[in-house]
Amino acid sequence: GAGVSQSPSNKVTEKGKDVELRCDPISGHTALYWYRQSLGQGLEFLIYFQGNSAPDKSGLPSDRFSAERTGGSVSTLTIQRTQQEDSAVYLCASSLVGVEKLFFGSGTQLSVL
Amino acid sequence: AQSVTQLGSHVSVSEGALVLLRCNYSSSVPPYLFWYVQYPNQGLQLLLKYTSAATLVKGINGFEAEFKKSETSFHLTKPSAHMSDAAEYFCAVSEAGNTGKLIFGQGTTLQVKP
């Protein structure tokens, strides 16, 4: 595709349910990043992939959060047993190599009721 | 560990006035520095970057930023604001070497008044 695609664009879920957020990076981009943007906050780093490996997952808030990337392409961020504080916009970005230029998707707005 | 501080969560200027958005960073190694912009209902896009070449960096839409090591700053400026510049601006830092993660500041919302 022409850009980074994220789905769904909006997700409303009940507290305690699991959710999966999907990111399709730009074709050929080896690096993939997940960030969280909460109201009034900056972008909080969650995890970074180089290919299918995650050299840095230091930003995942708890063990309820996990992410994987398959085929060096699509990535899924999974949040188990969602809590209200998980409500935020989850942003995915990809780059050809490293951090010199990240291309961001439009994000998934997650609302936990 | 790196960190970024953006001074002022909201900045308001009149159309035609100077835009100055402040960013200070902390890094134990020479940093790469970035400004990203997020227009309403759009994704973030790169405005400009410093990666250890010229200290004065020019970006898109007439914006520029100057890396000042002595002040650990990377402030964003534009001589004359346009209404279309209204957006949220994020400063970010990464350790030199182009690897790993990009750390973002809290963001500054720029309002441009007619």
Side-chain angles (χ1 to χ4, degrees):
Chain A
V4 177
S5 177
Q6 292 188 245
S7 61
S9 55
N10 282 281
K11 177 71 176 178
V12 180
T13 190
E14 293 178 352
K15 178 182 172 181
K17 300 282 190 183
D18 298 351
V19 295
E20 283 190 355
L21 312 180
R22 177 186 170 104
C23 173
D24 280 273
I26 293 172
S27 179
H29 279 195
T30 60
L32 186 147
Y33 301 78
W34 283 99
Y35 287 87
R36 180 167 71 175
Q37 185 175 23
S38 305
L39 194 62
Q41 305 291 317
L43 275 72
E44 177 188 10
F45 169 82
L46 297 179
I47 188 170
Y48 150 65
F49 287 92
Q50 182 60 45
N52 291 337
S53 328
D56 192 334
K57 55 179 77 170
S58 61
L60 295 177
S62 72
D63 58 8
R64 297 187 295 105
F65 287 72
S66 63
E68 65 174 14
R69 189 179 185 194
T70 55
S73 182
V74 173
S75 177
T76 302
L77 177 68
T78 301
I79 309 173
Q80 296 179 311
R81 306 180 303 281
T82 51
Q83 304 295 313
Q84 288 184 333
E85 61 263 28
D86 299 334
S87 297
V89 176
Y90 288 81
L91 295 171
C92 176
S94 70
S95 71
L96 194 56
V97 178
V99 299
E100 285 210 29
K101 187 171 185 178
L102 269 60
F103 292 82
F104 281 83
S106 296
T108 294
Q109 172 76 62
L110 175 66
S111 300
V112 182
L113 304 179
Chain B
Q2 318 103 297
S3 66
V4 175
T5 302
Q6 291 184 240
L7 299 176
S9 58
H10 287 84
V11 171
S12 181
V13 301
S14 297
E15 192 173 20
L18 171 72
V19 176
L20 171 61
L21 304 183
R22 299 178 186 273
C23 172
N24 287 87
Y25 70 91
S26 171
S27 179
S28 57
V29 297
Y32 284 10
L33 294 159
F34 305 81
W35 277 97
Y36 278 79
V37 60
Q38 186 174 30
Y39 296 106
N41 300 314
Q42 295 186 30
L44 278 85
Q45 58 182 282
L46 181 65
L47 200 53
L48 50 78
K49 63 183 178 184
Y50 166 77
T51 56
S52 76
T55 56
L56 181 62
V57 180
K58 295 187 184 299
I60 61 173
N61 300 335
F63 283 93
E64 62 182 37
E66 186 171 9
F67 170 63
K68 292 187 176 180
K69 183 179 179 180
S70 61
E71 298 178 8
T72 60
S73 70
F74 191 57
H75 302 329
L76 182 70
T77 61
K78 182 173 180 177
S80 177
H82 295 162
M83 296 296 293
S84 60
D85 294 328
E88 190 161 18
Y89 293 80
F90 293 92
C91 183
V93 64
S94 176
E95 290 187 348
N98 195 26
T99 60
K101 63 193 179 189
L102 202 54
I103 301 299
F104 284 85
Q106 302 282 65
T108 298
T109 300
L110 176 65
Q111 179 187 25
V112 182
K113 299 176 293 185

